[in-house]
């Protein structure tokens, strides 16, 4: 018989493992119940899950490879479908003993909440007693009705319940006067109250923990996955969990608990005190009322033990006279052992003394105390934070005989708020203040500068060549460098200063407490800046690698009384870029000339955008000829026909086009126009053999789809690819040699010619020359200019020619301006030329009518 049971067990296990293996092949579809309860759960305008629970579940689904299928339904219908199994997960379900037999819950709460009563503006519902005879809307099937019904019933209050299928319906009934009040979670009420012109009452109850629920005995793997993700994320500031909380209310308030909660707790304490006083009065009644007294005490005990708060009574000697279930749970002992003891039995000395001081304010001075108390257990390790409301209990003569306290555990709420605050105001990598916090502190400083007896300055710090480090060694090494830089900067600054990371490799230091004298303040700022530059230039240890790095630093002083935060940042940024332009590893102060240059650059960039949209750019062509004076083709050169400035040469605007990114649309237009011109020549026998050389910028060539752009221009025009020549510079070839090779090989496969421009001025590596499919070397004009007077230049030209011949590449010289230069080049073996001697750049008509000059140069 035992063997038979084992065999059945083994067979079942095999079947189960087979099912698991099959299911692993497919993404799990999870049906999610959705009822309208903003901001916790609802469907957005595209029918997708949204709200706190919606965003949280989408993050979990992405991590677990689930496919979420929203199932819209009303609250009670959602619960019924979840219980039946047609819904896999139901968000925003509060755990209760009544629901435990019907549903399965994960262990880690997804959200903490409480219920609250909302009323129309102008009503006077301030306590439970004010609800006598009122119509109160409540969600059908929700736990609030049964809980609140017991609560109001214990005070002898009769309420007319109005069941609604969703909270929006309840709020609408109150707004229209068809109900007097509505019960809702504080999240929904805070969001929707203003919309319906409803306000919160001080009546709050039932602090609850909210979960995702599923049918009993179903979807254990979903709940386990949710627990696993929540446990990991809730312990990690900046995780998906805290990002969701931040997205639905990330502003960290100055107090951890809303003012309404304080009044609610005060109201609860007052009602509790009245109830306890009433119970004490009952205990003095005659014997015939003993049974009623015991029944009332039991009812009160049940109510107090069901509240998710620590409720206690201490006598004038600070000894516990009553402790509800939560207090006994905190002290890990039954009520009989708690009563008669004082706080030093449960807390460390510092906590016990703090509690004693707060309690004496109540017992000796009759004050009502509402304070945040951080309590450490007697073990000295366990620490929890409570919001405590304490008030005196008085006898019939008005004498204080005890205090009643209600302490709500806000540890998790406080931790969540602190994590959200950290996420909102601090950089996750370096733990330094971020741009948002920096601007806030700058605003505070600038608003007080007229009253301060000192000046300040802004240091803008940028790491030199940080992108190269990231590209070559990886982002992990880059992150290590940023963290070490942050540590060194912290050591260079004082406690009164603010050090922030703006993002990427940019840091800012706001110096305060400098001299009021502008010259002395500048000298002090310069000393700090020099220390920063020197300290950050020291070697770094990045894992096994010893790495050297420098920074460029810009300084802007606070002396201008009209400067704003953004203006100061812009000035310091301009000064930093000037330090980079002057060779890096340097510091520069902002001056007005920089502002003028920046304004000019911004205006030029705007003109460039207008020029592109209004087609103000022209193409000029400069002839390229052989040693016999035959026209081989032309290099296409860009000109800008500006409506005010006239014809603008590329040296004026190309740097701005490069820095602004406008070089990319310009480059595409040049490429397309060149291909169209080749196609136009293909039908003219005297011009069909000509090539067009197009300069390609480094930024344009690095685009991932550059090859596709070239092919698209050729296809759109129908041009012969072998007549198109792309001119690249040596600097474009040294980064990512494998990627460069792949692009050039793809272009060559289509027949496109490749020329290496300005050869001899860059790296001139024979290694990449032999690897890359280059058709032509172009001798830089700097060697041609002094060819006849510098023997070194002649030797370089001869070497380039010999190199080209040995690698079977054409060689062309640019910048040929005289007959003597042309003849010298021919004598050295260079047989192709370009320069003023043969023709200046001009419109297409001048090229098509070109003839070889007879004698005098055109320079």
């Amino acid at each position: 018989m035992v063997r038979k049971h084992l065999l059945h067990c083994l067979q079942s296990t095999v079947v189960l493992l087979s099912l698991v293996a099959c299911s692993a092949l497919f993404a799990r579809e999870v049906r999610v119940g959705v009822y309208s309860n903003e901001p916790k759960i609802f469907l957005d305008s595209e029918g997708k899950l949204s709200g706190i629970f919606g965003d949280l579940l989408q993050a979990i689904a992405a991590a677990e490879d689930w496919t979420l299928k929203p199932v819209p339904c009303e609250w009670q219908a959602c619960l019924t479908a979840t219980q039946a199994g047609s819904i896999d997960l139901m968000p925003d379900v509060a755990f209760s003993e009544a629901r435990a037999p019907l549903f399965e819950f994960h262990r880690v709460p997804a959200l903490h909440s409480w219920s609250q009563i909302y009323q129309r503006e102008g009503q006077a519902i301030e306590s439970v007693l004010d609800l006598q005879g009122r119509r109160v809307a409540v969600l059908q099937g929700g736990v609030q009705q049964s809980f609140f019904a017991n609560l109001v019933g214990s005070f002898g209050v009769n309420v007319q319940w109005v069941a609604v299928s969703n909270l929006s319906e309840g709020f609408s009934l109150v707004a229209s006067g068809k109900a007097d009040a509505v019960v809702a979670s504080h999240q929904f009420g805070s969001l929707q109250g203003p919309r319906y012109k409803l306000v919160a009452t001080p009546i709050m109850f039932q602090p609850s923990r909210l979960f995702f629920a599923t049918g009993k005995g179903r979807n254990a793997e979903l709940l386990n996955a949710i627990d696993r993700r929540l446990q990991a994320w809730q312990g990690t500031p900046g995780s998906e969990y805290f990002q969701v909380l931040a997205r639905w209310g990330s502003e960290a308030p100055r107090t951890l608990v809303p003012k309404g909660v304080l009044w609610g707790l005060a109201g609860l304490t007052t009602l509790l005190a009245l109830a306890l006083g009433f119970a004490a009065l009952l205990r003095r009644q005659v014997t015939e009322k003993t049974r009623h007294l015991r029944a009332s005490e039991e009812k009160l005990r049940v109510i107090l033990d069901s509240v998710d708060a620590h409720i206690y009574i201490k006598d004038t000697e600070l000894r516990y006279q009553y402790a509800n279930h939560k207090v006994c749970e905190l002290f890990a002992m039954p009520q009989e052992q708690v009563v008669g003891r004082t706080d030093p039995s449960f807390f460390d000395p510092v906590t016990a003394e703090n509690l004693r001081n707060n309690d004496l304010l109540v017992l000796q001075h009759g004050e009502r105390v509402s304070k945040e108390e951080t309590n450490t257990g007697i073990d000295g390790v366990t620490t929890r934070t409570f919001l405590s409301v304490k008030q005196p209990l008085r006898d019939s003569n008005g004498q204080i005989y005890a205090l009643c306290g209600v302490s709500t555990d806000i540890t998790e709420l406080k931790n969540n708020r602190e994590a959200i605050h950290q996420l909102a105001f601090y950089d996750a990598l370096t733990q330094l203040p971020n741009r948002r916090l920096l601007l806030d502190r700058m605003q505070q400083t600038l608003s007080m500068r007229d009253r301060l007896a000192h000046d300040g300055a802004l240091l803008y710090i940028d790491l030199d060549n940080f992108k190269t480090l990231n590209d070559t060694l990886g982002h992990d090494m880059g992150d290590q460098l940023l963290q070490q830089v942050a540590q060194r900067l912290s050591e260079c600054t004082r406690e009164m200063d603010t050090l922030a990371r703006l993002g990427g490799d940019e840091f800012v230091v706001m110096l305060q407490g400098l001299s009021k004298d502008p010259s002395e303040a500048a000298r002090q700022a310069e000393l700090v800046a020099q220390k920063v530059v020197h300290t950050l230039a020291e070697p770094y240890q990045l894992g096994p690698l010893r790495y050297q790095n420098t920074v460029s630093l810009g300084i802007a002083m606070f002396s201008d009384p009209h400067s704003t935060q953004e203006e100061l940042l812009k000035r310091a940024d301009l000064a930093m870029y000037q330090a980079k332009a002057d060779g890096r590893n340097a510091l520069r102060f902002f001056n007005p000339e920089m502002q003028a240059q920046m304004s000019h650059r911004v205006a030029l960039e705007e003109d460039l955008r207008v020029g592109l949209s209004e087609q103000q750019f022209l193409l000029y062509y400069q002839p390229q000829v052989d040693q016999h004076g035959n026209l081989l083709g032309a290099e296409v050169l860009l000109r800008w026909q500006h409506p005010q400035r006239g014809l603008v040469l590329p040296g004026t605007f190309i740097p701005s086009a490069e820095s602004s990114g406008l070089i990319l649309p310009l480059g595409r237009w040049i490429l397309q126009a060149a291909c169209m011109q080749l196609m136009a020549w293909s039908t003219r026998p005297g011009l069909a053999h000509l090539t067009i050389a197009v300069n390609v910028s480094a930024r344009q060539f690095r685009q991932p789809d550059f090859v596709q752009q070239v092919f698209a221009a050729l296809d759109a025009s129908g041009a012969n690819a072998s007549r198109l020549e792309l001119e690249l510079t040596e600097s474009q070839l040294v980064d990512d040699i494998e990627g460069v090779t792949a692009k050039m090989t793809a272009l060559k496969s289509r027949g496109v010619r490749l020329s290496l421009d300005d050869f001899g001025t860059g790296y001139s590596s024979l290694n990449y020359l032999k690897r890359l499919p280059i058709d032509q070397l172009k001798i830089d004009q700097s060697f041609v200019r002094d060819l006849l007077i510098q023997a070194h230049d002649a030797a370089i030209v001869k070497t380039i020619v010999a190199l080209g011949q040995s690698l079977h590449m054409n060689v062309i010289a640019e910048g040929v301006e005289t007959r003597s230069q042309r003849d010298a080049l021919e004598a050295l073996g260079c047989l192709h030329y370009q320069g003023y001697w043969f023709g200046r750049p001009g419109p297409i008509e001048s090229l098509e009518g070109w003839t070889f000059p007879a004698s005098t140069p055109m320079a």
Side-chain angles (χ1 to χ4, degrees):
M1 181 64 70
V2 173
R3 293 180 62 190
K4 183 178 180 180
H5 285 313
L6 289 174
L7 179 59
H8 287 168
C9 180
L10 180 60
Q11 290 171 341
S12 299
T13 303
V14 171
V15 172
L16 179 60
L17 290 175
S18 300
L19 290 173
V20 171
C22 291
S23 66
L25 297 175
F26 304 95
R28 171 69 189 269
E29 181 181 79
V30 180
R31 297 163 297 180
V32 184
V34 185
Y35 77 108
S36 181
N37 189 5
E38 297 184 53
K40 292 192 288 183
I41 182 69
F42 63 97
L43 291 177
D44 63 16
S45 59
E46 298 179 357
K48 296 181 180 179
L49 288 173
S50 191
I52 299 173
F53 277 91
D55 288 1
L56 188 57
L57 188 56
Q58 289 195 67
I60 295 173
E64 297 291 335
D65 195 24
W66 297 343
T67 300
L68 301 180
K69 181 181 179 182
V71 181
C73 47
E74 299 294 348
W75 172 251
Q76 187 57 53
C78 284
L79 291 180
T80 302
T82 303
Q83 187 179 351
S86 56
I87 286 178
D88 297 315
L89 285 178
M90 182 61 199
D92 190 25
V93 181
F95 176 83
S96 69
E97 296 299 331
R99 286 176 176 165
L102 306 177
F103 301 98
E104 299 285 358
F105 297 84
H106 48 95
R107 298 188 309 278
V108 181
L111 190 65
H112 291 262
S113 183
W114 64 81
S115 299
Q116 193 160 4
I117 305 296
Y118 291 85
Q119 62 179 342
R120 290 189 303 279
E121 294 177 353
Q123 286 186 291
I125 300 175
E126 300 295 333
S127 71
V128 173
L129 300 178
D130 295 328
L131 292 175
Q132 175 66 38
R134 301 271 193 172
R135 299 163 297 172
V136 178
V138 66
L139 187 65
Q140 185 177 9
V143 296
Q144 294 103 329
Q145 180 176 359
S146 59
F147 186 95
F148 195 55
N150 289 334
L151 183 61
V152 298
S154 66
F155 291 98
V157 174
N158 293 317
V159 171
Q160 298 181 39
W161 300 107
V162 181
V164 295
S165 58
N166 58 69
L167 292 176
S168 296
E169 180 186 352
F171 273 60
S172 179
L173 289 175
V174 176
S176 62
K178 297 177 181 178
D180 301 303
V182 60
V183 180
S185 68
H186 81 281
Q187 284 103 341
F188 185 90
S190 298
L191 179 68
Q192 298 292 346
R195 175 184 171 189
Y196 291 93
K197 296 184 179 179
L198 302 191
V199 295
T201 72
I203 305 173
M204 283 170 279
F205 62 97
Q206 196 185 20
S208 58
R209 299 175 299 165
L210 304 179
F211 300 84
F212 294 93
T214 188
K216 194 66 178 178
R218 305 177 190 273
N219 301 311
E221 75 284 1
L222 298 182
L223 299 181
N224 290 337
I226 292 172
D227 266 328
R228 188 171 62 254
R229 295 296 173 183
L230 288 177
Q231 189 167 17
W233 292 347
Q234 289 181 4
T236 306
S239 67
E240 288 88 339
Y241 181 80
F242 291 110
Q243 291 177 25
V244 169
L245 294 184
R247 188 156 55 247
W248 294 98
S250 63
E251 186 64 30
R254 296 187 179 274
T255 58
L256 291 173
V257 178
K259 187 175 181 181
V261 175
L262 298 176
W263 283 106
L265 288 173
L268 178 61
T269 304
T270 303
L271 292 173
L272 173 62
L274 291 173
L276 290 173
F278 181 65
L281 178 62
L282 287 177
R283 281 193 290 271
R284 299 190 187 97
Q285 299 301 310
V286 292
T287 305
E288 66 268 17
K289 293 188 177 181
T290 300
R291 182 173 56 85
H292 298 289
L293 173 63
R294 288 175 179 172
S296 297
E297 287 181 333
E298 178 62 20
K299 184 182 292 186
L300 180 62
R301 185 190 64 78
V302 171
I303 293 174
L304 296 181
D305 282 344
S306 67
V307 175
D308 193 15
H310 301 73
I311 302 175
Y312 47 89
I313 295 175
K314 296 179 184 179
D315 63 17
T316 54
E317 300 299 321
L318 302 180
R319 294 172 299 202
Y320 284 91
Q321 298 301 304
Y322 168 79
N324 76 340
H325 172 70
K326 292 292 290 184
V327 175
C328 296
E329 186 180 75
L330 177 67
F331 295 159
M333 59 180 60
Q335 187 181 55
E336 295 77 19
Q337 297 181 26
V338 174
V339 172
R341 296 195 182 194
T342 57
D343 286 323
S345 300
F346 309 113
F347 300 105
D348 72 348
V350 174
T351 299
E353 180 63 21
N354 181 57
L355 293 174
R356 179 179 181 276
N357 294 334
N358 291 341
D359 292 346
L360 291 179
L361 292 175
V362 178
L363 294 170
Q364 294 181 358
H365 302 284
E367 295 183 17
R368 175 186 172 277
V369 172
S370 176
K371 286 191 176 183
E372 182 181 304
E373 297 175 333
T374 299
N375 301 339
T376 301
I378 198 168
D379 60 2
V381 176
T382 306
T383 299
R384 308 290 294 178
T385 302
F386 299 86
L387 178 66
S388 297
V389 179
K390 306 174 183 180
Q391 65 182 35
L393 297 178
R394 301 177 185 270
D395 59 20
S396 58
N397 298 319
Q399 297 299 312
I400 297 173
Y401 67 89
L403 71 79
C404 175
V406 178
S407 297
T408 303
D409 190 337
I410 59 171
T411 305
E412 188 170 350
L413 177 62
K414 183 177 181 181
N415 291 341
N416 289 348
R417 294 293 191 187
E418 289 174 352
I420 292 172
H421 182 269
Q422 184 76 15
L423 185 65
F425 292 101
Y426 289 86
D427 172 57
L429 178 65
T430 63
Q431 305 306 312
L432 295 178
N434 60 14
R435 182 187 184 93
R436 184 178 181 182
L437 185 53
L438 172 68
L439 289 176
D440 182 63
R441 291 184 179 176
M442 286 179 66
Q443 176 60 37
Q444 294 178 24
T445 301
L446 293 175
S447 65
M448 297 187 299
R449 61 184 158 190
D450 292 338
R451 301 190 297 274
L452 297 176
H454 54 76
D455 200 356
L458 213 61
L459 311 185
Y460 201 116
I461 304 156
D462 185 89
L463 305 188
D464 296 330
N465 304 311
F466 180 71
K467 183 179 183 301
T468 302
L469 170 67
N470 265 346
D471 292 344
T472 55
L473 300 181
H475 290 274
D476 289 342
M477 288 294 190
D479 288 348
Q480 287 187 42
L481 177 62
L482 291 173
Q483 289 171 332
Q484 293 185 35
V485 167
Q487 180 60 38
R488 293 189 188 184
L489 284 172
S490 299
E491 296 168 358
C492 293
T493 54
R494 304 161 299 174
E495 190 173 341
M496 71 172 67
D497 302 325
T498 295
L499 167 62
R501 181 188 177 207
L502 291 192
D505 60 342
E506 296 177 330
F507 296 84
V508 168
V509 177
M510 183 175 69
L511 297 177
Q512 298 189 76
L514 304 182
S515 172
K516 200 65 176 176
D517 177 67
S519 300
E520 180 61 18
R523 188 190 68 82
Q524 293 170 342
E526 185 175 18
L527 288 175
V528 177
Q530 288 174 344
K531 181 180 179 182
V532 167
V533 172
H534 175 75
T535 302
L536 298 186
E538 294 293 324
Y540 298 84
Q541 194 67 40
L542 304 180
L545 177 68
R546 189 172 173 84
Y547 182 77
Q548 193 92 22
N549 197 73
T550 60
V551 298
S552 299
L553 190 151
I555 307 173
M557 303 302 296
F558 282 16
S559 51
D560 184 352
H562 304 293
S563 55
T564 63
Q565 313 108 291
E566 292 294 348
E567 182 69 23
L568 281 169
L569 277 173
K570 184 171 70 173
R571 291 179 177 182
D573 187 31
L574 284 172
M576 180 273 293
Y577 274 108
Q578 186 60 50
K580 280 192 181 297
D582 291 346
R584 302 179 177 174
N585 192 27
L587 64 91
R588 293 290 182 270
F589 279 86
F590 170 82
N591 60 58
E593 288 75 16
M594 293 181 187
Q595 185 71 51
Q597 292 172 6
M598 172 59 74
S599 300
H600 175 74
R601 188 177 73 186
V602 170
L604 184 60
E605 289 178 6
E606 182 58 30
D607 281 357
L608 281 171
R609 289 186 175 86
V610 174
L612 266 171
S613 63
E614 296 184 358
Q615 300 180 347
Q616 296 175 1
F617 292 94
L618 310 172
L619 292 183
Y620 273 29
Y621 298 81
Q622 186 171 28
Q624 294 178 336
V625 302
D626 65 12
Q627 74 275 26
H628 303 299
N630 298 317
L631 184 63
L632 303 175
E635 178 181 1
V636 63
L637 301 167
L638 188 63
R639 297 292 186 267
W640 183 8
Q641 189 63 56
H642 193 280
Q644 283 81 40
R645 305 181 190 184
L647 194 64
V648 183
L649 297 179
T652 303
F653 62 84
I654 288 297
S656 291
E658 287 274 8
S659 63
S660 64
L662 294 174
I663 194 68
L664 300 179
L666 269 174
R668 285 193 296 271
W669 176 76
I670 295 170
L671 192 60
Q672 293 163 0
C675 289
M676 294 296 293
Q677 187 58 56
L678 285 173
M679 185 60 193
W681 283 345
S682 67
T683 60
R684 301 172 63 179
L687 302 173
H689 68 287
L690 298 181
T691 62
I692 291 182
V694 178
N695 283 287
V696 178
S697 73
R699 190 165 183 176
Q700 185 181 7
F701 186 74
R702 291 193 187 103
Q703 289 182 284
D705 63 341
F706 174 71
V707 174
Q708 288 72 26
Q709 290 181 29
V710 175
F711 290 172
L714 289 169
D715 293 339
S717 63
N720 185 346
S722 65
R723 300 301 176 196
L724 177 64
E725 183 176 283
L726 302 181
E727 291 193 357
L728 310 172
T729 61
E730 294 179 75
S731 61
Q732 293 169 241
L733 310 181
V734 295
D735 295 332
D736 184 23
I737 188 66
E738 299 300 329
V740 169
T741 303
K743 286 182 180 179
M744 295 180 74
T745 302
L747 292 167
K748 284 294 296 179
S749 69
R750 184 71 180 265
V752 177
R753 293 171 51 81
L754 301 171
S755 176
L756 195 54
D757 197 11
D758 302 333
F759 187 73
T761 61
Y763 296 91
S764 303
S765 169
L766 298 180
N767 181 50
Y768 72 70
L769 274 182
K770 71 178 184 180
R771 294 178 58 185
L772 299 176
I774 298 171
D775 297 290
Q776 178 176 269
L777 302 178
K778 196 168 190 179
I779 301 173
D780 186 67
Q781 60 183 335
S782 62
F783 301 123
V784 175
R785 184 183 307 113
D786 297 329
L787 177 65
L788 301 177
I789 57 176
Q790 291 287 345
H792 292 303
D793 288 342
I796 290 172
V797 170
K798 185 175 182 180
T799 302
I800 295 173
V801 171
L803 181 63
Q805 291 172 348
S806 64
L807 294 176
H808 305 291
M809 299 177 184
N810 292 330
V811 178
I812 185 171
E814 66 177 351
V816 182
E817 298 185 352
T818 68
R819 175 63 179 268
S820 301
Q821 290 174 341
R822 177 248 177 242
D823 293 344
L825 286 166
E826 183 178 13
L828 292 171
C830 179
L831 306 179
H832 293 172
Y833 321 104
Q834 176 183 338
Y836 282 5
W837 168 253
F838 303 96
R840 291 177 178 270
I844 188 64
E845 295 81 10
S846 64
L847 179 72
E848 292 175 349
W850 179 87
T851 56
F852 182 70
S855 57
T856 57
M858 299 178 66

